Amino acid sequence: MTKKCFLVLVMVYLITGFAQATTLDSQLELAKTYNDQAVQYYQQGRFQQALPLAEKALNIRTEVLGEKHADTLGSLNYLAEIYRELGRFYEALPLSEKSYLLSKNELGKTHPLTLASLNNLVVIYKDLGRLKEALPLAEKNYPLVKKVRGENRPETITALNNLVMIYQGLGRLDEALPLAKKCYSLSQEVLGEKHPNSLTSLNNLAVIYHELDRLEEALPLFKTCHRLSKEVLGDNHFITIACQNNVAEIYTSLAHPSDALPLLEESYTRFKKVFGEKHPYTLMTLFNLATAYQKQGNFNKTIQYLEKSLDIVENLRSGDLSAENRQTLFNKWVPSYFSLLGLYIAHSHFFDAFHRTDMSKPYILKAFRVAEMSKARTLLESITAKLAAQQSELTRAEKRKLRKYEVRLASLNNRIAKALEEDQLEETIRLETKKNSLVNQLAEFERELMAKYPKYARLSKVQIVGAKEGAKYLPADSVLISYLVSEDKFNKNNVLAFTLQANGMLTAHYLGELTDLEKTVKKYLRRLSLKKTRGRVILWPETKKDVVALSRELGKHLLEPLKDIIKDKRRWIISPSGPLALIPFETLHINGEQVIAQHQVTYVQSLSVLKLLKEREQAYQRIEKRGTLLAMGAPIYETFGNSHTPTSEHSRADIKIASKLVDSSDDPERYTRALRQLNLKWRNLPGALKELKQLKNLFFFKTHRLRIYKQAEATEANLQRLNKFGILAKYSYLVFSTHGYLSTEVPALSSIVLGQVNNPPGIDGYVTAGEWPAYNLKSDLMVLSACETGVGEVVSGEGVMGLPYAFYVAGNKNTLLTLWSISDEVTAKFIASFFRKLKMEYGQIEALTATKREFIEEGYGEAYWAAFVLYGV
């Protein structure tokens, strides 16, 4: 190459590099222009116009600078904010989580962008209704921002305001109010009274006064907020519309619907125009409109608006959401379901009063359908998905892939805690991000399967069962009693009940307003159950009269109004709601005697779930070469004296440390270390050995259909092996005669307790509620003679979560659970008597009822026989 040619080549490279640099600079300048325009639209509340500009800015910066550059991270967080303002929380969440994690790792935990990302994440969790997860984030964020940036800074005021909203959402109004006053005072001082953040603080302060029922203080604040925001931000800004909506709410509360309605109609029109029909602001205004029309006495308009709002909520639920996000979304709107079915019932009673059954029947049928829509929806979806996979023409590889998603999601659910300490928040957010990605992948795979297999698509669609169709799933001598419980902020419960008979006869009943229902139920359970003291289980010292009095009180409210319909029915199928899920209805009194004397009682989450369990039953009957019984029990526990359950009290500090350990890492022994931190001590169960021996003797002549794992064989490692090779799925009856651990403080640890000695690494012996959905069961009956396995967190619109829910998701049909602790000797006797009757070809409910009556005849009190309840068909 000549010198001249070399110089030409150098010049080409220089010119090309300069051109590339110029192009990059121009791209970054374009990104800045897009971003600045997006900011202007955002500040004007024009989020739809801001969205495409913010997306373009992020795409350019990601391509030119990389995803970890500060400018890219700023665009990522800003885009998440816009999605959040548009009510598209499920799109905002993964962006916000990613922004926070990358900002913290690349820029440090005190960088302004990291703090802004964490603050945005707090608001998204709050908007999703996941307040328990939002709280530790908010309590971390505010003091950190205050320390780094100072108290009199806009970002500090924003962090404080978000903490106020979390406290308000959790009903902790006494804590929220002084902070709200402080927040508004600081906003005025630092930003001026007309700044959007000051107006937001003013609105939130007024909201707290409203919730405290201090309407005279709330109304002028809302009016001031509306006047100033209209002046500064314009009619169509979301703060202006929200303040106007809140003024109207006060008028409704003051029984001035004629003043409220024009404001609400205008707010609804503006929200719908600016944010769209599915935005939470629009939905809330729709609900407020319905309430105002109800106060005015215009029930047709009320029903029209409530029906419309429910259609929108149902549409939102159909998105690619995790089970937890579906639950929180649904929980937020359960009151609107209850309001609508209450109106339907009122209309039906109105027409009944004039003997117009032809006009009342459609309303009662609609009411029942709405009731079904409001119960156990996540469980219904999980069972539907399981049945669709089993009963459609998927290949083995496709079924294995679905199963793999189930296992991975169950594992992640088991590792995500609801309450985290400050230094574990990042790990939880990382796991949440991973889970959200997995949920989206699963949803995409399911869509592919639906497009490929029409039958799978049809079976995957959740069916809400109406009364007419559902009646055919009821035995001829039975009645379904479906309760609905709605709680207000004053701890008053409105209780509704439906009865449905096999002939299709449907009735609805308003059972009145009960104050402190949850407290009454808990008191009743305490009186019924056994007391643990010094390693022994004894009766509570309270007299029998206390139990009878509470039994009659609850029976009077919950059963007496229905007695003309239910008294002659041999079998009651009860679908409870709220705290009623913890009541053994067999113990209540009706017509002067206990229910158990004349009736058989089973429980089911909803009629729609019952239908699916019936279909599950039919599918399982087609399984060939099915085993009879697989039992696991009397594990070897470490010996620490004679404790029946944990003997040492664990402190709040122990609980917090255990919670952190659960979620801290991928360490396979994290659960073992967490449970050791709680210092749980278990004794061996000689009664369980007796129980297993009796079961073996019962089925001795069917040894090829019987498997029993006891003592050293009763381990989690063995259970995992049985599941891996499909052995668990080949048995009709599964029995676990072990200790059970119920944790309300650390829900992820609620579990069946298997062997605690000589476990290999990664095996802790605790099969938790989070792990059970990864198991594959096809059992007709699962018997848990462990302590308190029927107890769990009661979630509005879902029922009892925890172990009972997990077993259904795993594929079990019926479950015999216990509501409180019983001695293992008595348990062994009860279970043996129950299975003896099953062997004599009693039905499951007949066997259970006969066993309970047998115990009553032998002089056993409710503390011994009433703890056993059967969920299923």
Side-chain angles (χ1 to χ4, degrees):
M1 179 184 295
T2 65
K3 185 175 182 180
K4 182 177 180 181
C5 290
F6 178 76
L7 289 173
V8 170
L9 189 60
V10 169
M11 289 297 294
V12 169
Y13 277 130
L14 288 173
I15 292 168
T16 303
F18 177 76
Q20 289 176 335
T22 303
T23 301
L24 293 178
D25 287 342
S26 64
Q27 285 181 303
L28 291 175
E29 188 61 35
L30 180 60
K32 184 177 183 304
T33 301
Y34 285 143
N35 189 75
D36 291 344
Q37 288 175 342
V39 169
Q40 288 181 2
Y41 282 133
Y42 182 95
Q43 291 172 344
Q44 295 168 13
R46 297 165 64 183
F47 305 116
Q48 291 285 8
Q49 290 94 327
L51 179 61
L53 296 170
E55 288 176 328
K56 289 176 181 178
L58 174 62
N59 290 337
I60 293 172
R61 285 173 171 172
T62 302
E63 184 178 343
V64 176
L65 302 173
E67 69 170 7
K68 296 181 180 180
H69 191 278
D71 288 349
T72 308
L73 294 174
S75 286
L76 183 63
N77 184 60
Y78 197 61
L79 181 59
E81 282 194 55
I82 294 172
Y83 274 126
R84 176 179 59 78
E85 294 290 1
L86 286 169
R88 295 164 64 174
F89 307 136
Y90 305 104
E91 293 166 273
L93 182 59
L95 299 180
S96 186
E97 288 171 336
K98 182 178 180 181
S99 173
Y100 173 63
L101 291 175
L102 287 176
S103 296
K104 178 181 175 293
N105 292 337
E106 300 300 318
L107 307 174
K109 67 178 182 180
T110 60
H111 190 278
L113 184 53
T114 307
L115 297 175
S117 298
L118 180 56
N119 186 68
N120 194 29
L121 193 56
V122 168
V123 181
I124 292 171
Y125 273 129
K126 187 269 297 180
D127 289 338
L128 283 168
R130 297 171 63 174
L131 298 176
K132 290 182 180 178
E133 286 133 298
L135 180 60
L137 296 174
E139 289 181 328
K140 172 186 178 179
N141 190 44
Y142 170 58
L144 186 58
V145 176
K146 182 179 175 182
K147 179 181 178 181
V148 174
R149 306 293 290 168
E151 186 170 56
N152 297 326
R153 294 283 300 179
E155 53 268 49
T156 310
I157 296 169
T158 298
L160 175 58
N161 189 54
N162 291 334
L163 181 59
V164 167
M165 288 192 291
I166 303 298
Y167 282 141
Q168 176 256 321
L170 288 168
R172 294 165 59 173
L173 302 179
D174 290 340
E175 295 168 88
L177 182 58
L179 293 179
K181 289 179 178 177
K182 177 181 178 180
C183 187
Y184 180 51
S185 176
L186 285 171
S187 297
Q188 285 182 302
E189 179 185 333
V190 176
L191 305 169
E193 70 170 1
K194 296 183 180 181
H195 191 277
N197 288 6
S198 299
L199 296 172
T200 300
S201 299
L202 175 59
N203 182 69
N204 292 337
L205 176 59
V207 166
I208 294 170
Y209 278 129
H210 187 192
E211 293 205 1
L212 287 167
D213 224 24
R214 293 162 63 172
L215 305 183
E216 287 75 12
E217 292 166 276
L219 183 57
L221 297 183
F222 279 137
K223 285 184 173 180
T224 300
C225 182
H226 179 239
R227 174 177 55 80
L228 291 175
S229 58
K230 186 174 182 178
E231 175 188 330
V232 176
L233 303 171
D235 288 333
N236 289 326
H237 196 279
F238 76 98
I239 296 178
T240 308
I241 311 171
C243 289
Q244 178 173 307
N245 183 65
N246 289 332
V247 169
E249 271 199 80
I250 297 288
Y251 286 144
T252 302
S253 299
L254 291 169
H256 299 151
S258 57
D259 295 326
L261 282 169
L263 296 176
L264 286 169
E265 291 281 11
E266 184 181 350
S267 296
Y268 174 60
T269 301
R270 291 185 185 279
F271 269 140
K272 190 164 63 169
K273 178 181 177 182
V274 176
F275 295 106
E277 201 165 45
K278 296 179 183 179
H279 196 284
Y281 294 151
T282 313
L283 258 178
M284 183 55 70
T285 308
L286 196 57
F287 182 71
N288 292 339
L289 253 177
T291 304
Y293 275 119
Q294 187 174 1
K295 288 281 182 75
Q296 193 188 50
N298 190 336
F299 295 110
N300 289 332
K301 275 280 190 182
T302 306
I303 289 174
Q304 175 189 335
Y305 281 126
L306 285 175
E307 286 177 337
K308 189 172 186 178
S309 69
L310 261 59
D311 286 343
I312 296 170
V313 173
E314 289 294 308
N315 184 268
L316 289 172
R317 277 184 57 82
S318 64
D320 297 347
L321 310 180
S322 67
E324 292 72 26
N325 283 337
R326 281 200 198 94
Q327 288 166 11
T328 52
L329 169 68
F330 191 62
N331 187 43
K332 189 173 182 177
W333 297 107
V334 161
S336 60
Y337 286 73
F338 197 88
S339 295
L340 180 57
L341 69 91
L343 280 170
Y344 284 150
I345 291 173
H347 265 52
S348 70
H349 286 175
F350 173 79
F351 289 117
D352 278 342
F354 294 96
H355 306 288
R356 295 296 306 274
T357 55
D358 57 321
M359 296 184 71
S360 68
K361 190 174 181 180
Y363 283 106
I364 201 72
L365 290 171
K366 285 182 178 182
F368 184 81
R369 179 172 175 77
V370 172
E372 278 293 301
M373 289 167 65
S374 71
K375 300 182 83 170
R377 289 296 298 280
T378 310
L379 176 59
L380 191 64
E381 289 155 356
S382 299
I383 296 176
T384 298
K386 198 98 171 181
L387 283 171
Q390 290 171 351
Q391 297 178 13
S392 51
E393 60 272 36
L394 306 187
T395 65
R396 288 186 178 181
E398 289 164 339
K399 288 182 178 180
R400 279 197 300 270
K401 188 171 181 179
L402 278 175
R403 186 82 193 131
K404 187 176 179 181
Y405 276 119
E406 288 176 6
V407 171
R408 290 169 66 191
L409 281 171
S411 174
L412 284 169
N413 283 333
N414 205 36
R415 292 160 59 188
I416 296 172
K418 293 181 180 178
L420 296 172
E421 288 301 298
E422 184 173 327
D423 57 347
Q424 298 302 325
L425 293 176
E426 288 74 29
E427 174 64 11
T428 302
I429 294 168
R430 184 187 70 80
L431 292 171
E432 281 278 1
T433 304
K434 193 173 179 180
K435 177 182 171 182
N436 289 331
S437 174
L438 199 61
V439 167
N440 290 331
Q441 290 174 38
L442 173 57
E444 183 59 36
F445 181 54
E446 287 174 335
R447 279 192 288 270
E448 291 174 11
L449 294 178
M450 289 178 194
K452 185 177 179 182
Y453 302 106
K455 184 177 180 181
Y456 177 77
R458 176 172 55 81
L459 293 174
S460 295
K461 189 175 181 181
V462 172
Q463 299 292 325
I464 302 298
V465 179
K468 186 176 180 180
E469 179 193 356
K472 66 185 181 184
Y473 295 100
L474 303 177
D477 58 349
S478 71
V479 59
L480 173 76
I481 308 172
S482 181
Y483 290 98
L484 272 295
V485 177
S486 174
E487 182 179 358
D488 65 17
K489 61 184 178 182
F490 303 110
N491 294 322
K492 291 181 180 178
N493 296 99
N494 285 293
V495 184
L496 297 171
F498 294 90
T499 67
L500 177 65
Q501 301 174 55
N503 62 5
M505 181 67 70
L506 176 68
T507 64
H509 309 262
Y510 176 60
L511 303 184
E513 188 180 84
L514 304 180
T515 302
D516 293 325
L517 177 61
E518 184 175 358
K519 190 181 294 184
T520 302
V521 169
K522 286 182 178 178
K523 181 181 179 182
Y524 184 53
L525 286 181
R526 283 198 303 273
R527 295 294 187 267
L528 275 177
S529 60
L530 296 163
K531 181 181 181 182
K532 292 168 283 189
T533 179
R534 296 182 181 178
R536 293 165 53 232
V537 181
I538 63 173
L539 287 170
W540 282 88
E542 283 77 8
T543 64
K544 174 77 172 176
K545 187 161 80 171
D546 291 335
V547 173
V548 172
L550 286 167
S551 168
R552 285 177 174 162
E553 179 187 345
L554 288 167
K556 178 182 177 182
H557 289 301
L558 301 174
L559 298 175
E560 290 286 344
L562 317 174
K563 68 179 180 180
D564 290 341
I565 299 164
I566 65 177
K567 64 182 179 182
D568 297 326
K569 292 293 184 289
R570 186 167 64 94
R571 179 175 172 187
W572 295 356
I573 303 168
I574 294 177
S575 174
S577 174
L580 300 186
L582 302 177
I583 294 178
F585 276 75
E586 301 96 311
T587 63
L588 302 188
H589 278 72
I590 184 173
N591 294 330
E593 63 180 356
Q594 275 190 317
V595 169
I596 187 67
Q598 301 295 332
H599 307 282
Q600 303 171 356
V601 180
T602 55
Y603 302 85
V604 71
Q605 285 80 355
S606 70
L607 182 61
S608 300
V609 169
L610 186 144
K611 171 184 177 287
L612 286 185
L613 292 179
K614 282 285 190 181
E615 292 175 358
R616 178 173 280 182
E617 178 179 65
Q618 293 169 5
Y620 290 177
Q621 287 173 351
R622 294 192 290 269
I623 299 174
E624 296 179 356
K625 297 180 181 179
R626 205 171 183 204
T628 303
L629 182 143
L630 185 150
M632 184 172 282
I636 297 176
Y637 300 116
E638 294 181 1
T639 306
F640 292 102
N642 296 317
S643 57
H644 179 67
T645 52
T647 54
S648 53
E649 293 292 327
H650 29 264
S651 66
R652 297 292 299 181
D654 287 330
I655 291 168
K656 290 179 180 178
I657 293 170
S659 182
K660 287 195 293 181
L661 288 168
V662 167
D663 298 285
S664 61
S665 69
D666 293 324
D667 178 3
E669 301 224 13
R670 62 190 180 282
Y671 284 104
T672 303
R673 294 188 292 114
L675 289 157
R676 282 176 183 163
Q677 180 67 39
L678 296 177
N679 199 22
L680 299 174
K681 301 174 183 178
W682 311 96
R683 73 169 174 84
N684 293 333
L685 296 168
L689 268 178
K690 183 179 179 182
E691 180 181 322
L692 295 177
K693 183 178 180 180
Q694 290 172 326
L695 290 175
K696 182 178 179 180
N697 291 338
L698 276 175
F699 296 98
F700 179 75
F701 296 107
K702 300 180 181 180
T703 51
H704 63 288
R705 301 173 65 194
L706 172 71
R707 285 179 185 245
I708 292 182
Y709 299 86
K710 62 184 180 180
Q711 295 184 305
E713 295 179 323
T715 65
E716 185 181 6
N718 239 350
L719 190 68
Q720 290 179 356
R721 179 183 62 81
L722 292 169
N723 183 59
K724 180 179 179 181
F725 292 102
I727 296 171
L728 281 181
K730 293 180 179 178
Y731 281 83
S732 298
Y733 302 146
L734 301 178
V735 178
F736 290 88
S737 185
T738 70
H739 283 301
Y741 176 61
L742 172 70
S743 173
T744 54
E745 299 285 353
V746 190
L749 300 181
S750 291
S751 48
I752 299 299
V753 188
L754 294 174
Q756 297 293 296
V757 176
N758 299 325
N759 282 323
I763 300 293
D764 55 33
Y766 292 83
V767 191
T768 67
E771 291 169 330
W772 273 108
Y775 283 77
N776 184 30
L777 309 180
K778 292 183 180 178
S779 44
D780 288 328
L781 175 68
M782 190 169 182
V783 177
L784 303 171
S785 55
C787 308
E788 300 177 301
T789 48
V791 181
E793 182 184 6
V794 178
V795 176
S796 180
E798 294 293 347
V800 177
M801 305 303 286
L803 287 173
Y805 174 92
F807 299 142
Y808 276 124
V809 176
N812 182 52
K813 189 190 77 175
N814 288 355
T815 312
L816 183 61
L817 303 156
T818 51
L819 295 175
W820 56 76
S821 302
I822 305 173
S823 69
D824 58 315
E825 293 85 0
V826 175
T827 298
K829 180 178 179 179
F830 191 98
I831 297 301
S833 178
F834 171 69
F835 269 99
R836 194 175 298 115
K837 293 172 180 60
L838 288 182
K839 187 184 176 186
M840 294 165 61
E841 298 189 353
Y842 279 61
Q844 291 177 22
I845 178 57
E846 288 79 13
L848 180 61
T849 305
T851 304
K852 290 183 177 184
R853 289 173 180 167
E854 182 181 287
F855 266 57
I856 293 170
E857 289 174 6
E858 293 180 14
Y860 286 94
E862 295 93 339
Y864 295 98
W865 57 262
F868 295 93
V869 295
L870 184 70
Y871 265 83
V873 295

